[in-house]
Amino acid sequence: APAPGQPPGAGAPATPGTPGTTIPGTAAPGAPPPAAPVPPPLASVPAAPAAPAASGVVLRAIDNSWVQIRDSRTGRVLLNRTLQPRETFEVPNQPGLVLSTGKAEALSIELDGAATQVLANQVGVRRDISLDPERLRNATPAPR
């Protein structure tokens, strides 16, 4: 019979370790521990190729160099600051962009990962250098 004050059908509370009872979240005594979930097998993924060299036009500072990139058609300035040594800037791929720099000898213009000859032999301030990839590809060093 239930103890006074307990609802009908209620018996003595189960105690841990009593045969036939388990505490939620635990295994029965003597049972093997639950197995850890096994992740699904990984699909065979080919190794990723090495990151390609930067494509497009990239400015690379050799030394501190002020640079300005603007759209020659609208006059809108896209960049106007000093690049620090080893800093790079990826030029947006859009027509009509030109570069002005205060220290041409401290700057390299690269096309598809290779240095161009546009600023070769150039020193000091240079203005309105076309950043059109085709013009950069065909550029020759300027005379000193």
Side-chain angles (χ1 to χ4, degrees), residues 6-128:
Q6 286 186 344
T15 57
T18 304
T21 63
T22 59
I23 298 172
T26 64
V38 178
L42 296 176
S44 177
V45 177
S55 63
V57 179
V58 175
L59 302 182
R60 182 176 304 277
I62 299 159
D63 196 1
N64 293 337
S65 183
W66 168 79
V67 295
Q68 181 185 76
I69 297 175
R70 69 180 170 77
D71 185 326
S72 63
R73 298 164 305 153
T74 65
R76 182 174 154 248
V77 175
L78 281 74
L79 176 72
N80 186 21
R81 68 183 189 86
T82 300
L83 295 180
Q84 304 302 311
R86 296 180 305 281
E87 186 176 4
T88 61
F89 177 78
E90 291 185 31
V91 177
N93 184 13
Q94 66 184 67
L97 297 183
V98 293
L99 166 75
S100 293
T101 181
K103 195 173 183 183
E105 69 274 17
L107 195 62
S108 172
I109 301 175
E110 299 175 357
L111 178 61
D112 298 332
T116 67
Q117 297 298 308
V118 173
L119 295 177
N121 303 326
Q122 299 292 309
V123 178
V125 176
R126 293 293 177 259
R127 297 187 187 282
D128 299 327

